[in-house]
Amino acid sequence: MLLFLHIHEIAVKYCLETRRRLEDGIVVTESASKTKAAAQTTAGNTKLRSKTPLIIIMLMSLAPVIAALLVYFNPEWRPEGSAAYGQLIEPQRPMPSTQSLPLTTLDGKPFDLSSLKGKWIMLAADAAECPEACARKLFIVRNTHASQGKHVERLSRVWFITDDAPVPEKVLEAYKGTVMVRVNPVVLQQFLLGGAPGSMTPEQARNALAPLIWVIDPLGNLILQYPPIADPELFRKDIRKLIQNSRIG
């Protein structure tokens, strides 16, 4: 009996010792797991902190681009005074082909307007006689062109002559460097004014075209129209901004 009790006591002690060791192992395992998790969390936080400056720099770099796109597609968000003097033509109208808009030089040779692509083109249209209002437009366009300094080669100027009358010698002399081409005003107004074919007589088209100035961008799109009796200084500033801020042309 005593032997049985002794054996029982030894068995109980063995079970208790085994249980204690198992519990210690679980605690150690849990502690190691917690330590590993904490180390992983610390490493993750450190890694995140190391990426934070890079993310901030990227966001700061993209912010002006995103802001510019938002303002471009939402003109009503533009600050007061930031708008161009000229009226933006929407949608922009691409330069017509020579078949759609036949042009001839003063000596009767065909002229392809697309030969000026790659430059900013300032346009005016009027009768060959070129009365005072016509001369004023050509003067504004010529002086604006000349005032662009090192950017002068990035521009060209065109005068569409809307009848077959001779151009006065004094006009030819005063506006040397202006591309002078004859054109049917009825066809021209479809491009410059966006009018429907046959919507105007030649005289109506000539009168509608005469007061205005336009700009074509280097990609060949008609983008701006300026009002009658355009302000020379505002026009010049507009063109300067276009040239200085543009990466094309």
Side-chain angles (χ1 to χ4, degrees):
M1 184 70 179
L2 290 172
L3 179 61
F4 175 77
L5 290 173
H6 182 67
I7 292 171
H8 177 72
E9 183 180 354
I10 292 172
V12 169
K13 286 182 178 179
Y14 177 79
C15 289
L16 291 172
E17 180 65 20
T18 302
R19 181 179 177 183
R20 183 184 65 77
R21 288 180 178 178
L22 285 172
E23 288 177 345
D24 288 347
I26 291 170
V27 170
V28 170
T29 302
E30 288 179 349
S31 176
S33 298
K34 289 178 179 178
T35 302
K36 184 177 180 182
Q40 288 175 340
T41 301
T42 302
N45 290 339
T46 303
K47 193 171 184 181
L48 181 60
R49 284 197 299 271
S50 68
K51 287 183 177 180
T52 300
L54 180 61
I55 294 171
I56 292 172
I57 291 171
M58 289 177 64
L59 290 174
M60 289 176 67
S61 301
L62 289 172
V65 177
I66 295 170
L69 287 171
L70 287 172
V71 171
Y72 179 81
F73 288 109
N74 298 275
E76 66 276 11
W77 295 0
R78 296 174 190 172
E80 188 177 349
S82 66
Y85 172 53
Q87 177 187 346
L88 190 65
I89 294 173
E90 295 180 319
Q92 298 173 359
R93 293 192 283 276
M95 190 183 290
S97 65
T98 53
Q99 291 76 25
S100 300
L101 185 65
L103 304 172
T104 55
T105 60
L106 295 183
D107 56 2
K109 295 178 181 177
F111 181 81
D112 186 356
L113 191 60
S114 67
S115 64
L116 299 178
K117 267 189 179 181
K119 294 189 175 186
W120 293 90
I121 310 170
M122 298 175 287
L123 311 170
D126 219 309
E129 181 187 3
C130 197
E132 183 179 350
C134 166
R136 183 180 183 276
K137 286 185 305 179
L138 297 183
F139 177 83
I140 291 172
V141 170
R142 183 195 66 187
N143 283 13
T144 296
H145 189 182
S147 69
Q148 299 307 316
K150 66 180 181 180
H151 300 295
V152 72
E153 295 299 326
R154 297 173 64 189
L155 293 106
S156 186
R157 55 188 194 271
V158 174
W159 176 26
F160 292 114
I161 302 168
T162 54
D163 60 16
D164 296 324
V167 179
E169 192 62 35
K170 63 180 181 180
V171 176
L172 294 174
E173 186 64 28
Y175 301 109
K176 282 182 178 179
T178 300
V179 177
M180 301 181 185
V181 289
R182 296 190 189 275
V183 63
N184 182 337
V186 173
V187 178
L188 182 62
Q189 67 86 22
Q190 295 173 39
F191 171 48
L192 294 183
L193 300 177
S199 60
M200 294 185 187
T201 66
E203 189 63 27
Q204 288 173 331
R206 194 174 294 114
N207 291 337
L209 293 164
L212 308 172
I213 300 174
W214 297 265
V215 172
I216 293 177
D217 70 17
L219 300 178
N221 297 310
L222 187 69
I223 61 167
L224 287 168
Q225 176 178 295
Y226 290 86
I229 316 177
D231 184 295
E233 186 59 29
L234 293 178
F235 180 72
R236 182 160 51 248
K237 286 181 179 178
D238 239 24
I239 299 301
R240 186 181 299 122
K241 286 179 187 176
L242 283 174
I243 298 300
Q244 291 180 348
N245 297 330
S246 172
R247 294 285 183 264
I248 57 175

